[in-house]
Amino acid sequence: MSLVLTQCFSPMAIFSSSDWSLTSLIFRRKTHASTIISASKSLQFLSAPYSIRRFPLLNSSGYPAPVLEESSKSVEDDLKFPDLQQSVTLDIHNLNDFLCGLCQDPRTEALAFEYYQRAKDHPEFRPEPLMLKLLIRYLLKSKNWGLISVLLQDFQALSVIPDGTTCSTLLNSCIRNRKFKVAKYLLHIFESKDDVSLSAFDSAMRSYNKLHMYRATVNVFNQMQSAGIAADSSCYCQVMEAYRKLGDAKKVVSLFNEFVKQETIDSMPFSTQIYGIVCNTLGKSGRAFEALEVFREMKRKGIAEDSSIYSSLMYAFASIREVKVAEELFQEAMKRRMVKNAEVCLKLVLMYVEVGLMEKTLQIVKAMKETRISISDCIFCTIINGYVKKRGLRTALRIYDELISLECEPGQVTYASLINIYNKLGLYTEAERVFFEMEQKGFDRCVVAYSNMVSMYGKIGRPRDAMRLAAKMKEKGCKPNVWVYNSLIDIHGRVKNLRQVEKLWKEMKRRKVNPDKITYTSIISAYSKARDFDACIKFYLEFRINGGKIDRPLVGIMIGVFSKISRIDELVKLLQDMKSEGMVLDWRLYTSAMNALTDAGFQFQVKWFEESFKPTKVKMSNSP
């Protein structure tokens, strides 16, 4: 028979098990029997028997009586639990079951910690690991770090902690949520607990590595050693990975030597990963042959191989151009089906390009096709550009067709390189064809390709097509770079279209595209052709004030400008700058400068000029 509690009961009233039991729920309104039974079954602690023995439970007036109200409109009744200010007859041995029930029911888990706080007031109460596990699970789910910190203090005060899995989960959550002080406090507690210490420290190092906090991982390992906790293979793996990321090859090797002294290394988990870390570290530090010896030792011990180890070794030997060893490793990896990384294949291709073994780059591509590794646009482009550099433009076109026959797909970078090849060979129709093909495949935002095409149109005298393409480029959301603007300025400068040159210059400034030396040379050349020498001097001075360094084309233009308007002081200053930078003049510019100085009657400067410069046959490609 249930007893309805009212406000008239004294806070110190004591109820026997015959008057009140935890299987009786208190309702503010009458309920159907089916509702009571359903609610009782959902709370596991309600069915636990309690003895007649009495003791005061949860005696604090600081917490109001918890009320759990059903939010569903289909259930009209609100559950109300016993007033925590009252003393209730309970069996101390079943109190952990009571709290577990609260934690396991979604409707009452929010009350679990409140009841737990009251239960601690009883001197005989000791939380059990299962109850702590459930309580921690709820607090982590709700991210209530304030209550978690309170709970952690009880680990020491009550000399009880949850199981190892829960401790590891708790540490991982603390570190993942940047609660580093809490994690440090937990490690201090766990270091003296033999049953959970190893897994807890391993979890902490693993979590710090995921956050790339490698110094913290090292500190945890040092704390672990100071506490006398013997590291297992997982701990060695985590700390060696941290030292590898920190670039401390010496410490990685030292820990590895310490690890291999263990007799059961071949049967330990993480052995393959540890050997992989050592091989990678030695390879990147220029000790490729030592890494290879470690790898051979690993195979002799029967430790499982890994594709990443083959990749790091091949990468190491390709970096130092040890072609023979890199090839042997590649063949060995192919037989064992350990070639899975396109990045290392790119490294091998780069190695062959640099040593001039171009035919072998195609062998790498064929091997990649056999193992179904995707040939990236980067690899495709590297091979094409390598042939351009080593064998010439037309050979590169032939190799392009061969790679297409191997079902390699060109990407944006390869298309841009191909357009440049056709442009240099004067095959402008083919360049246009490739550009249109590139656009149809969706590669319509490549600045390099646009720049090559704009330059080509300028070279063949099609300024309208160049401007149309630049406008199309902007429509696609592809911002023109300084190369595009340089080409456009040069195109309009050649036909003395100063209005368009000025418009492009202002557009560059508005779009915050910084002009380079070629930009200034092109715009000064444009104004020089139009005989606007004041504008030439203005842009030249701006170039020099901004730290620009002179070169032959720019010097050639400015000598002509200063000579034509008899700016002898500026001409002498320019010649002095040339002298200090070790530049020489061709015969035409030498004659122009000499005539200007002679006509001005600067005999001393003429003598200095004759002594300082000797005319050469250097060709001035961009001279006016």
Side-chain angles (χ1 to χ4, degrees), residues 100-113:
C100 285
L102 288 176
C103 293
Q104 290 175 312
D105 194 306
R107 301 178 304 167
T108 58
E109 59 183 355
L111 298 170
F113 191 83

Side-chain angles (χ1 to χ4, degrees), residues 145-384:
W145 295 102
L147 297 185
I148 289 174
S149 297
V150 173
L151 183 63
L152 300 186
Q153 297 175 12
D154 296 339
F155 288 177
Q156 281 188 318
L158 301 177
S159 299
V160 61
I161 57 174
D163 60 276
T165 301
T166 303
C167 292
S168 298
T169 301
L170 181 56
L171 266 168
N172 178 53
S173 298
C174 289
I175 296 172
R176 189 174 63 248
N177 289 277
R178 273 55 174 188
K179 304 296 179 180
F180 303 124
K181 289 184 179 180
V182 179
K184 185 176 181 180
Y185 179 73
L186 277 171
L187 288 173
H188 176 70
I189 295 174
F190 296 154
E191 68 181 12
S192 60
K193 308 295 182 180
D194 295 337
D195 51 340
V196 301
S197 59
L198 183 60
S199 60
F201 276 84
D202 177 64
S203 177
M205 288 190 286
R206 192 182 304 274
S207 299
Y208 279 125
N209 275 351
K210 287 181 179 178
L211 293 180
H212 300 171
M213 297 178 64
Y214 304 115
R215 292 289 180 191
T217 301
V218 171
N219 292 337
V220 171
F221 184 79
N222 291 338
Q223 180 184 350
M224 182 181 179
Q225 287 190 316
S226 299
I229 303 171
D232 62 2
S233 59
S234 178
C235 293
Y236 274 107
C237 183
Q238 301 307 320
V239 71
M240 287 173 66
E241 174 67 10
Y243 276 117
R244 183 181 76 86
K245 292 291 186 179
L246 292 171
D248 193 340
K250 183 177 180 180
K251 193 63 179 178
V252 171
V253 174
S254 174
L255 286 167
F256 174 73
N257 291 333
E258 182 180 316
F259 172 73
V260 296
K261 291 179 181 178
Q262 303 180 51
E263 295 180 356
T264 58
I265 182 174
D266 53 343
S267 61
M268 287 184 178
F270 298 98
S271 293
T272 300
Q273 291 92 317
I274 289 173
Y275 271 92
I277 291 170
V278 175
C279 290
N280 182 272
T281 301
L282 291 172
K284 287 186 175 181
S285 58
R287 300 159 64 180
F289 285 98
E290 291 181 53
L292 182 61
E293 182 58 33
V294 170
F295 177 63
R296 299 306 183 201
E297 178 188 348
M298 170 186 169
K299 294 180 66 176
R300 287 194 295 270
K301 291 184 176 182
I303 298 174
E305 301 166 357
D306 185 81
S307 62
S308 63
I309 302 179
Y310 274 107
S311 295
S312 65
L313 288 171
M314 286 186 284
Y315 195 97
F317 282 102
S319 297
I320 60 176
R321 309 294 176 262
E322 285 288 344
V323 178
K324 184 178 179 180
V325 181
E327 285 180 339
E328 290 175 354
L329 286 167
F330 183 73
Q331 295 300 327
E332 182 180 330
M334 284 289 295
K335 291 179 181 179
R336 298 178 181 273
R337 299 183 181 276
M338 292 287 182
V339 179
K340 301 178 182 180
N341 191 344
E343 183 180 352
V344 72
C345 294
L346 172 61
K347 190 66 178 179
L348 292 173
V349 168
L350 287 169
M351 177 188 71
Y352 285 132
V353 169
E354 292 191 15
V355 299
L357 299 175
M358 297 306 303
E359 288 75 16
K360 292 197 174 183
T361 60
L362 298 180
Q363 295 179 11
I364 297 295
V365 171
K366 292 175 182 178
M368 292 176 70
K369 297 295 290 186
E370 290 177 8
T371 54
R372 297 183 179 180
I373 299 175
S374 176
I375 290 88
S376 66
D377 185 40
C378 188
I379 292 176
F380 200 149
C381 180
T382 299
I383 295 174
I384 296 301

Side-chain angles (χ1 to χ4, degrees), residues 397-409:
L397 291 178
R398 180 177 59 80
I399 296 301
Y400 175 83
D401 293 334
E402 186 171 345
L403 289 171
I404 293 296
S405 67
L406 292 173
E407 298 182 349
C408 298
E409 286 289 334

